[in-house]
């Protein structure tokens, strides 16, 4: 970082603004590659920009690889083309953002490249980037410093984009089914709709304790009472509880309610919606998860809660004695001593049945 600060000061001495406000880009890297034939034949000048991720070369020529949100792009800088400005690049580092003008060509290795005729520093990076292959393996750092994860792992950016596509597709599907999207209060005087511990805050204007919602169920049901027949909300909920791979204190949830419908109607609706969402990213209705390929063909499997658990246990769990339940908790490493009977059964269900449900399945009754 000290060396980068020295370069920053040198750039300022040379009259270079290391943090300009804007850059007029004509093409993204993806657009350049898509329009290569036209751009190369017409020798049309492009203005593009991105983050420097590699630099190689010496003397009077050098190649750099830049990345933007869409693609990577190789750029070629020559002393005989840039003149004295070529020497300015010695004060650039990996991680810096730069804008450039130039024309498009292909190298002998058939790589689309921008021959730079002018360039400008857009943002000087004062901290080095993590090394892609061995600098960002720490899972905790990846989640705590998402910006580094996004820089080093482009597949993570793709996941974020797919999430946006799925949320849009979800809304489109429900809108076509006649649902209306609503917003309900995040701050609530009385929390409800789920069994969870809330986050507590204080409303100074009213001198009143408030809670961040743990669910939006009760307010959505009030809308049904008020006369709406189909409502939904994509909402942020907050539960002041543990953190693990299946639980986060702050999370996004879709909740919907429909009048004159029972749980069979809702299961059919969810089947249709999931099929619609899967086809948005996989027309074959197949998704790969870990080492398995999961098919999303309707109708989804339905299993009964008690029957499926009894089948795995070999006896009727509802009529079993407490000692029998406790014995199976011990066998499966469940800390059961502070749990009520129903919670013990549910923990056993998670171990014996839920963990083995791979394909789309409704657990009912």
């Amino acid at each position: 970082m000290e060396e980068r600060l020295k370069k920053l000061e040198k750039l300022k001495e040379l009259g270079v603004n290391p943090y300009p406000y804007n850059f007029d880009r004509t093409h993204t890297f993806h657009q350049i590659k898509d329009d290569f034939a036209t751009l190369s034949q017409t020798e049309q000048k492009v203005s593009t920009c991105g983050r420097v991720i590699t630099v190689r070369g010496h003397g009077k020529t050098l190649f750099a690889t830049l990345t933007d949100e869409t693609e990577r792009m190789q750029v070629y800088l020559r002393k005989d083309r840039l003149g004295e400005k070529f020497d300015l690049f010695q004060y650039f580092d990996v991680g810096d953002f730069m804008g450039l003008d130039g024309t498009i060509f292909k190298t002998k290795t058939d790589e689309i490249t921008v021959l730079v005729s002018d360039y400008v520093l857009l943002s000087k990076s004062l901290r080095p980037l993590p090394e892609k292959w061995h600098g960002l393996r720490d899972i905790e750092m990846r989640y705590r410093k998402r910006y580094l994860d996004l820089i080093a792992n482009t597949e993570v950016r793709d996941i974020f984009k797919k999430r946006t596509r799925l949320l849009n597709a979800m809304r489109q599907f429900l809108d076509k089914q006649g649902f209306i999207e609503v917003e309900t209060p995040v701050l609530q005087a009385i929390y409800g709709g789920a069994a969870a511990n809330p986050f507590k805050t204080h409303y100074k204007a009213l001198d009143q304790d408030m809670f961040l919602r743990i669910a939006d169920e009760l307010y959505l049901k009030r809308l049904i009472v008020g006369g709406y027949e189909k409502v939904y909300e994509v909402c942020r909920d907050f539960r002041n509880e543990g953190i693990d791979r299946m639980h986060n204190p702050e999370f996004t949830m879709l909740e919907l309610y429909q009048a004159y419908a029972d749980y069979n109607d809702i299961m059919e609706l969810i089947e249709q919606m999931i099929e619609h969402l899967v086809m948005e990213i996989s027309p074959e209705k197949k998704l790969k998860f870990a080492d398995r390929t999961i098919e999303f063909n309707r109708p989804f499997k339905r299993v009964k809660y008690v029957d499926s658990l009894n089948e795995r246990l070999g006896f009727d769990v509802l009529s079993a004695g407490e000692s029998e339940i406790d014995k199976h908790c011990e066998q499966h490493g469940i800390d059961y001593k502070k749990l009520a009977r129903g919670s013990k059964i549910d923990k056993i269900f998670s171990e014996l049945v839920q963990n083995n449900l791979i394909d789309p399945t409704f657990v009912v009754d």
Side-chain angles (χ1 to χ4, degrees), residues 157-199:
R157 294 209 301 266
D158 293 337
I159 291 173
F160 278 47
K161 291 178 181 178
K162 286 179 180 178
R163 180 184 184 277
T164 297
R165 286 171 54 194
L166 290 175
L167 283 173
N168 290 337
M170 188 184 298
R171 286 184 164 100
Q172 291 168 5
F173 172 84
L174 291 173
D175 291 346
K176 288 181 180 179
Q177 296 293 321
F179 284 81
I180 64 166
E181 183 175 8
V182 297
E183 291 183 340
T184 62
V186 175
L187 287 174
Q188 301 178 352
I190 301 175
Y191 62 92
N197 294 322
F199 286 94

Side-chain angles (χ1 to χ4, degrees), residues 98-146:
M98 65 179 291
L100 55 94
D101 298 333
T103 52
I104 313 304
F105 74 102
K106 275 189 178 180
T107 63
K108 292 180 180 179
T109 58
D110 209 35
E111 183 169 0
I112 297 174
T113 304
V114 181
L115 177 58
V116 179
S117 58
D118 194 13
Y119 69 92
V120 61
L121 178 65
L122 297 180
S123 181
K124 182 66 184 167
S125 174
L126 299 182
R127 294 184 181 275
L129 298 181
E131 293 292 336
K132 177 171 177 58
W133 301 117
H134 59 269
L136 202 61
R137 288 182 176 176
D138 188 317
I139 297 298
E140 183 173 353
M141 179 179 289
R142 288 181 59 189
Y143 286 136
R144 288 185 180 276
K145 298 183 177 181
R146 269 297 195 184

Side-chain angles (χ1 to χ4, degrees), residues 275-290:
E275 182 182 61
H276 174 74
L277 297 178
V278 171
M279 291 182 67
E280 176 70 20
I281 56 178
S282 174
E284 301 82 15
K285 294 192 289 187
K286 296 180 181 180
L287 294 178
K288 190 169 181 61
F289 180 76

Side-chain angles (χ1 to χ4, degrees), residues 253-272:
M253 179 166 66
L254 166 69
E255 193 156 349
L256 61 86
Y257 290 90
Q258 178 178 341
Y260 316 116
D262 64 11
Y263 73 161
N264 292 300
D265 299 312
I266 298 301
M267 283 191 287
E268 184 176 349
L269 175 73
I270 296 303
E271 280 184 343
Q272 294 173 5

